[in-house]
Amino acid sequence: MSIDPVSHLLYTCSPDTTIQEWKLEDGKCYLNNILKGHTQAIRKLCFSDGILYSGDEAGEVKLWKNGDLINTCNMIEEVWDLKVHKKQIFTVRDRDVVINEFNDGLRRCWTRKHIPGRGPLLLLQEDRICFPDRNGTCLLVHGSSTDGFPQLGTLQGHSMTINALTGRHNVIFSGGWDKRILAWDLDKMISVGEFEIGNSITSMTTGPHGQVYVTGERRIYQLRTCF
């Protein structure tokens, strides 16, 4: 799921290879358009600078503008997660984070670097990107600028696979199969909190006032935080 912050159009995807464009009015969603172009199930959407990016199980990332398909990039492997920062596309499956960059506008895409790791991805402050290592239990923090994407730190604390990341500024939260949510200070590279919810964690997101929303085993939790 992704949203255009200007037009307030909401985009969703599904295994049927289509993207649904929804118009939000009076607290309700109305189907506005259906975008077709993928041949395999779509796994991730990301909206950035007026462009909708969609990644599928065939390894294709398609670019859409105003409902029209404008380009397709092949990432070689399935796209399990997808983030975009200016001209850079970060994609990942379970072995490597692949960093691609556009030149010649948005018409040509080339691979800048592979970094060992797996999803999920979290892009922060436009200068750092976080993701688990290949084992899925240790968090890696890298610079997301064009100076070589150096590793800035390693965060250890989970005993099982990490499924979800969220956060903003210098504080992030990680959760997974070990039923624990860990809070991390990226400036100091240390753990600053822990939450036990009793269920495996599948997804997390942050609200505008520091809320952290967590889903796991058909339940939604809200954490009280002060970041």
Side-chain angles (χ1 to χ4, degrees), residues 199-217:
N199 285 309
S200 297
I201 296 145
T202 56
S203 182
M204 296 192 297
T205 191
T206 53
H209 304 295
Q211 314 98 313
V212 176
Y213 298 98
V214 181
T215 61
E217 298 184 14

Side-chain angles (χ1 to χ4, degrees), residues 9-61:
L9 292 171
L10 175 69
Y11 296 92
T12 60
C13 60
S14 62
D16 70 358
T17 75
T18 65
I19 301 169
Q20 297 78 40
E21 179 184 275
W22 303 87
K23 190 174 183 180
L24 306 178
E25 284 186 355
D26 302 323
K28 297 181 180 180
C29 292
Y30 301 92
L31 184 61
N32 192 57
N33 194 9
I34 296 178
L35 311 184
K36 297 180 180 181
H38 284 276
T39 59
Q40 298 292 324
I42 305 167
R43 296 195 62 143
K44 281 293 177 178
L45 299 175
C46 179
F47 199 93
S48 177
D49 294 329
I51 305 295
L52 177 68
Y53 299 78
S54 56
D56 67 18
E57 292 184 354
E60 289 189 340
V61 172

Side-chain angles (χ1 to χ4, degrees), residues 70-112:
I70 62 173
N71 198 6
T72 299
C73 301
N74 195 326
M75 303 299 163
I76 309 300
E77 62 180 10
E78 295 177 39
V79 178
W80 286 13
D81 206 351
L82 168 67
K83 301 297 180 187
V84 178
H85 171 47
K86 296 182 179 178
K87 295 182 178 181
Q88 298 168 356
I89 302 179
F90 300 83
T91 62
V92 67
R93 186 186 174 187
D94 61 349
R95 298 291 296 171
D96 290 296
V97 176
V98 182
I99 304 168
N100 287 273
E101 185 168 308
F102 285 106
N103 54 23
D104 193 19
L106 294 174
R107 289 180 290 182
R108 297 183 181 180
C109 186
W110 61 285
T111 301
R112 284 188 57 90

Side-chain angles (χ1 to χ4, degrees), residues 113-127:
K113 191 167 185 175
H114 290 250
I115 304 174
R118 61 182 293 155
L121 295 171
L122 179 64
L123 188 62
L124 279 173
Q125 295 185 330
E126 299 186 342
D127 66 352

Side-chain angles (χ1 to χ4, degrees), residues 162-176:
I162 298 167
N163 295 326
L165 294 173
T166 192
R168 58 185 180 183
H169 307 310
N170 66 317
V171 178
I172 69 169
F173 299 84
S174 58

Side-chain angles (χ1 to χ4, degrees), residues 136-181:
T137 58
C138 178
L139 275 178
L140 307 178
V141 183
H142 281 256
S144 62
S145 60
T146 56
D147 58 356
F149 311 98
Q151 184 169 332
L152 305 176
T154 302
L155 305 174
Q156 296 180 324
H158 286 282
S159 59
M160 299 179 72
T161 302
I162 298 167
N163 295 326
L165 294 173
T166 192
R168 58 185 180 183
H169 307 310
N170 66 317
V171 178
I172 69 169
F173 299 84
S174 58
W177 294 125
D178 61 5
K179 305 178 182 181
R180 298 160 61 230
I181 299 169

